[in-house]
Amino acid sequence: VYQRQVSGNQSSIQGVVFDAGAIVGNMLKCFLDHFDRQSNISNLSALDTVRVFRSINIFIASSVDRVIDCSGIDIHATGDDEDFDWLNRLNVELNVDTSGYDESESLFEECNADPTDPPPTTLPDGDHPSDEGPAFTREINAINSILSRCGYLLCHAQLHLQVLCCQSMLTGFETLGKIGAFRRARQGESASNPLLPSIAEYWPAIIARLRAASASYVSSNRISRKELSIRNAMAEDLGENTQSRKYLGVLLASLFTIVAELCAGSDGFFEDRFRHDVYPIIAKLVGECLQPMRGRETNFILTPLLVLIKSVFESSCRYSLTGLV
């Protein structure tokens, strides 16, 4: 970026480097202030809001990925040599790849650097010892700010908006998990994982939405089978019900993906929540999936359920969850 400076009768053009992270951080702060002042938000405004949240989360994720890649540290390295041939076979069947913050603190720092200096590879961070690497403090605060708003909007009546919230939250949780893995790779097992307090903070909103969506899906499935057996299902009603179940299936698949990510990135922290909160829901949905299907009726959640189960038993939670199989 260039700016013109005028001194008397002379003018000069100088290059100025602006940190993209600082610009995005200031945009996010203004956007959050505006969002928090809204007493009645329309459907269109809510959709646009979540799209902005998701874009900012993607930007933060790419910034964090760049720093981790430049560090040369493999955050996916593991000493676990167990054989998962049955999971690899399931990969082929499913056609999938193996697999507490203070918001008053400034989310990002402003930057107007010397043009001769290279631009930062990530969002500006606080002071930290050089041997521990970047702390990603402001990235974590920004992600948690977005997660709190998406958790609030997750109870919105519009299913499309709920799915977008899930996608934005998933990106945030993935980034927090990568930061935790990066810290652990550099500092050892004693390093803090920012994903864990975020799970404790935002899990109630996620599980409440999962319970409600699964109950709606089970109810729509039973109504569909009853209509088919009693009335042979008039075409119009069947079409509307199928469409509703399709949207619920997409929402459930998005929620399952979040659960899988929390299992993968929490290093066993999530196992109790999975056992007591998620497993009863899965058991009921699997029972519904085993019910006989009629005509062109489609089961929208069987594959997402299998992908979730596979992901859970590839994660560190598998050691204490084997009794559920």
Side-chain angles (χ1 to χ4, degrees):
V1 178
Y2 294 92
Q3 66 180 9
R4 182 183 297 274
Q5 291 185 345
V6 180
S7 178
N9 296 328
Q10 296 181 345
S11 65
S12 61
I13 298 178
Q14 295 182 347
V16 179
V17 177
F18 290 97
D19 175 20
I23 296 174
V24 172
N26 288 328
M27 289 172 55
L28 176 60
K29 185 176 185 305
C30 295
F31 191 73
L32 292 177
D33 290 341
H34 173 75
F35 175 80
D36 292 341
R37 289 195 301 266
Q38 303 303 307
S39 58
N40 187 15
I41 186 169
S42 65
N43 288 346
L44 181 59
S45 178
L47 284 171
D48 292 338
T49 297
V50 177
R51 290 189 181 105
V52 173
F53 286 157
R54 188 184 179 200
S55 298
I56 294 177
N57 262 347
I58 291 173
F59 171 83
I60 296 174
S62 64
S63 300
V64 171
D65 286 342
R66 184 178 177 186
V67 173
I68 293 176
D69 291 343
C70 291
S71 70
I73 295 177
D74 183 10
I75 63 174
H76 304 291
T78 176
D80 193 354
D81 295 325
E82 292 186 42
D83 188 12
F84 289 104
D85 287 342
W86 68 277
L87 290 171
N88 292 330
R89 291 197 298 271
L90 188 57
N91 280 338
V92 177
E93 293 293 331
L94 300 176
N95 193 26
V96 297
D97 296 328
T98 302
S99 43
Y101 68 102
D102 183 7
E103 217 176 81
S104 61
E105 179 184 356
S106 175
L107 295 177
F108 305 93
E109 294 176 351
E110 297 181 4
C111 179
N112 188 351
D114 190 306
T116 59
D117 294 336
T121 57
T122 185
L123 307 178
D125 213 341
D127 294 334
H128 52 266
S130 58
D131 59 336
E132 292 185 4
F136 298 111
T137 304
R138 288 167 179 80
E139 288 88 343
I140 294 170
N141 287 342
I143 291 171
N144 279 316
S145 298
I146 293 175
L147 287 175
S148 66
R149 274 68 174 190
C150 287
Y152 167 76
L153 291 173
L154 200 57
C155 64
H156 198 279
Q158 192 173 356
L159 288 176
H160 184 197
L161 180 61
Q162 295 176 33
V163 172
L164 287 176
C165 286
C166 289
Q167 293 171 349
S168 180
M169 296 181 80
L170 175 63
T171 304
F173 286 134
E174 287 175 343
T175 305
L176 293 177
K178 289 177 182 177
I179 293 174
F182 179 73
R183 287 178 174 180
R184 186 167 58 251
R186 292 189 69 105
Q187 305 170 29
E189 295 298 325
S190 61
S192 62
N193 186 347
L195 178 62
L196 306 189
S198 295
I199 292 176
E201 180 74 18
Y202 308 116
W203 176 244
I206 296 171
I207 187 59
R209 188 68 265 162
L210 180 58
R211 286 174 178 146
S214 61
S216 297
Y217 187 87
V218 169
S219 176
S220 66
N221 256 4
R222 291 174 178 172
I223 291 174
S224 177
R225 286 195 294 270
K226 183 179 179 181
E227 288 178 345
L228 283 166
S229 60
I230 296 178
R231 301 187 302 148
N232 199 20
M234 296 176 64
E236 301 178 6
D237 297 339
L238 179 60
E240 291 178 1
N241 191 47
T242 301
Q243 192 77 349
S244 175
R245 286 189 299 113
K246 179 179 179 181
Y247 291 149
L248 283 170
V250 173
L251 175 60
L252 285 170
S254 301
L255 291 166
F256 292 158
T257 307
I258 291 178
V259 171
E261 177 58 33
L262 298 183
C263 285
S266 63
D267 196 24
F269 176 80
F270 190 73
E271 58 191 34
D272 284 341
R273 289 174 173 82
F274 184 88
R275 180 190 301 274
H276 299 296
D277 296 341
V278 181
Y279 180 74
I281 297 174
I282 291 178
K284 181 176 289 187
L285 290 174
V286 168
E288 285 298 312
C289 291
L290 296 178
Q291 294 293 330
M293 310 296 288
R294 293 179 174 84
R296 296 184 177 181
E297 196 175 7
T298 305
N299 196 318
F300 297 106
I301 63 168
L302 181 57
T303 298
L305 269 173
L306 292 176
V307 172
L308 169 61
I309 294 171
K310 169 187 170 298
S311 300
V312 170
F313 286 97
E314 283 181 334
S315 73
S316 57
C317 294
R318 64 181 179 271
Y319 300 110
S320 61
L321 297 177
T322 52
L324 300 178
V325 178

